[in-house]
């Protein structure tokens, strides 16, 4: 009976951890086939990043025992893989009209592509991290409370952190994707620091009673990152609208200036 209750709790928290990805992905990505393709490719790149990080953990045995180094390596590979994905997309967009069907030009399309990339990262992040929590409980028959933090159910804590990191991935991708195109390397470095700092903050769970403040720190960082991403996105859209309005004014001005010269010349009266 107790294991059945654990199953219900674990499944319920799985939906909690996936809530942001399902809501935003279902609203923005799923109705648009070109973004769905982008999110699927992004999920594959995330898997490649995790596989490469895991291979390095096993290749260097002391590394997998040091959690800070494991997280540093994982975050670095994830960021490099996302930049590699942008590079591949940028290369693909130069060849064939078929590729441009889902890699579309324009500021708004670029923002949507970045968000779809974040959704792909977020979905796999939740599935991998929360599945690891469930596996630790069921496969190794651990308690549903963490030894270092008995105040919080391990499923609730795992789902809350997985949800936070899923939001983080969507916000960071939305923030950094236009920076790749504009070559704003300082901004790219800031995004990397935000990603690394938020991930490292989760290490507080390993301290006795650390989950009580670690959860607050992680969610505060994710909230700040989301606000920055929202403000930056709004400014980008506003600049794009202003640029379009200025272009429309210039076109109207040019057409008005050219109109008199294109007017028909009146015929001269016939000589008597």
């Amino acid at each position: 009976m107790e294991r059945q209750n654990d199953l219900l709790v674990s499944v319920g928290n799985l939906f909690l951890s996936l809530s942001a990805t399902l809501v935003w992905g279902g609203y923005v990505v799923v109705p648009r086939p070109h973004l769905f393709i982008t999110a699927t490719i992004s999920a594959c790149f995330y898997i490649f990043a995790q596989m490469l990080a895991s291979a390095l953990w096993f290749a260097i045995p002391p590394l997998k025992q040091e959690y800070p180094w494991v997280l540093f390596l994982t975050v670095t590979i994830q960021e490099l893989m996302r930049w590699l994905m942008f590079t591949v997309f940028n290369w693909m967009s130069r060849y064939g009209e078929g590729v441009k069907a889902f890699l579309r030009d324009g500021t708004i399309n670029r923002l949507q592509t970045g968000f779809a990339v974040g959704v792909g990262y977020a979905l796999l992040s939740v599935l991998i991290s929360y599945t690891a929590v469930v596996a630790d409980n069921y496969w190794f028959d651990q308690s549903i409370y963490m030894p270092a933090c008995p105040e919080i159910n391990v499923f609730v804590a795992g789902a809350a952190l997985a949800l936070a990191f899923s939001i983080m991935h969507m916000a960071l991708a939305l923030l950094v994707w236009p920076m790749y195109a504009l070559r704003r390397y300082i901004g790219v470095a800031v995004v990397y620091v935000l990603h690394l700092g938020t991930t490292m903050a989760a290490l507080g769970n390993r301290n006795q009673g650390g989950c009580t403040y670690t959860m607050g720190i992680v969610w505060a960082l994710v909230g700040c990152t989301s606000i920055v991403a929202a403000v930056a996105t709004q400014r980008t859209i506003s600049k794009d609208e202003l640029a379009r309005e200025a272009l429309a004014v210039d076109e109207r001005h040019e057409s008005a200036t050219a109109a008199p010269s294109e007017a028909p010349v009146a015929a001269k009266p016939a000589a008597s």
Side-chain angles (χ1 to χ4, degrees), residues 75 78-79 82 110-111 113-119 121-122 164-180 187-199 221-230 232-233:
V75 170
Q78 287 178 2
E79 290 295 328
R82 186 164 51 202
R110 189 180 299 120
L111 290 171
T113 300
F115 186 77
V117 169
V119 169
Y121 261 48
F165 284 118
S166 70
I167 297 173
M168 178 200 70
H169 281 301
M170 289 186 283
L172 290 180
L174 182 62
L175 185 62
V176 79
W177 201 259
M179 294 179 182
Y180 291 149
V188 174
V190 170
V191 168
Y192 170 76
V193 171
L194 283 172
H195 189 177
L196 183 62
T198 306
T199 305
L221 290 172
V222 171
C224 292
T225 302
S226 301
I227 293 173
V228 171
T233 301

Side-chain angles (χ1 to χ4, degrees), residues 2-270:
E2 182 179 353
R3 302 305 293 181
Q4 292 178 353
N5 292 334
D6 292 353
L7 177 62
L8 293 176
V9 172
S10 63
V11 173
N13 281 285
L14 174 63
F15 286 106
L16 171 64
S17 61
L18 286 169
S19 58
T21 307
L22 294 178
V23 169
W24 286 106
Y27 180 72
V28 178
V29 175
V30 174
R32 298 169 175 83
H34 65 288
L35 296 183
F36 186 82
I37 295 173
T38 301
T40 304
I41 296 174
S42 172
C44 294
F45 271 83
Y46 185 89
I47 293 175
F48 295 153
Q50 294 301 104
M51 291 174 62
L52 179 58
S54 300
L56 291 176
W57 300 342
F58 284 100
I60 310 174
L63 185 62
K64 62 182 179 181
Q65 304 298 329
E66 300 293 334
Y67 286 100
W69 282 106
V70 168
L71 295 181
F72 170 78
L73 182 65
T74 303
V75 170
T76 302
I77 293 177
Q78 287 178 2
E79 290 295 328
L80 289 175
M81 198 62 69
R82 186 164 51 202
W83 172 81
L84 177 62
M85 181 167 37
F86 171 82
T87 304
V88 172
F89 282 1
N90 194 36
W91 174 78
M92 290 172 60
S93 63
R94 303 174 186 175
Y95 299 93
E97 294 297 325
V99 176
K100 294 180 180 179
F102 76 96
L103 295 178
R104 303 180 181 180
D105 296 328
T107 302
I108 304 300
N109 289 323
R110 189 180 299 120
L111 290 171
Q112 290 181 342
T113 300
F115 186 77
V117 169
V119 169
Y121 261 48
L123 178 62
L124 266 296
S125 172
V126 169
L127 293 178
I128 291 176
S129 60
Y130 187 72
T131 301
V133 172
V134 175
D136 285 342
N137 180 266
Y138 283 99
W139 291 354
F140 299 103
D141 197 26
Q142 293 183 353
S143 170
I144 63 172
Y145 295 96
M146 294 182 293
C149 194
E151 296 86 0
I152 299 180
N153 185 298
V154 67
F155 296 129
V156 175
L161 285 176
L163 175 61
F165 284 118
S166 70
I167 297 173
M168 178 200 70
H169 281 301
M170 289 186 283
L172 290 180
L174 182 62
L175 185 62
V176 79
W177 201 259
M179 294 179 182
Y180 291 149
L182 299 175
R183 298 183 179 181
R184 294 178 178 173
Y185 300 117
I186 295 179
V188 174
V190 170
V191 168
Y192 170 76
V193 171
L194 283 172
H195 189 177
L196 183 62
T198 306
T199 305
M200 288 292 186
L203 287 175
N205 279 331
R206 304 185 67 229
N207 300 326
Q208 188 66 33
C211 60
T212 54
Y213 63 84
T214 297
M215 204 73 68
I217 294 174
V218 170
W219 273 100
L221 290 172
V222 171
C224 292
T225 302
S226 301
I227 293 173
V228 171
V231 172
T233 301
Q234 184 59 44
R235 290 183 62 182
T236 301
I237 294 174
S238 299
K239 289 180 180 179
D240 182 66
E241 291 177 349
L242 291 174
R244 290 185 180 185
E245 291 177 1
L247 181 60
V249 170
D250 291 341
E251 290 177 350
R252 287 196 297 268
H253 178 71
E254 290 178 1
S255 60
T257 304
S261 61
E262 296 174 356
V265 179
K268 295 181 179 180

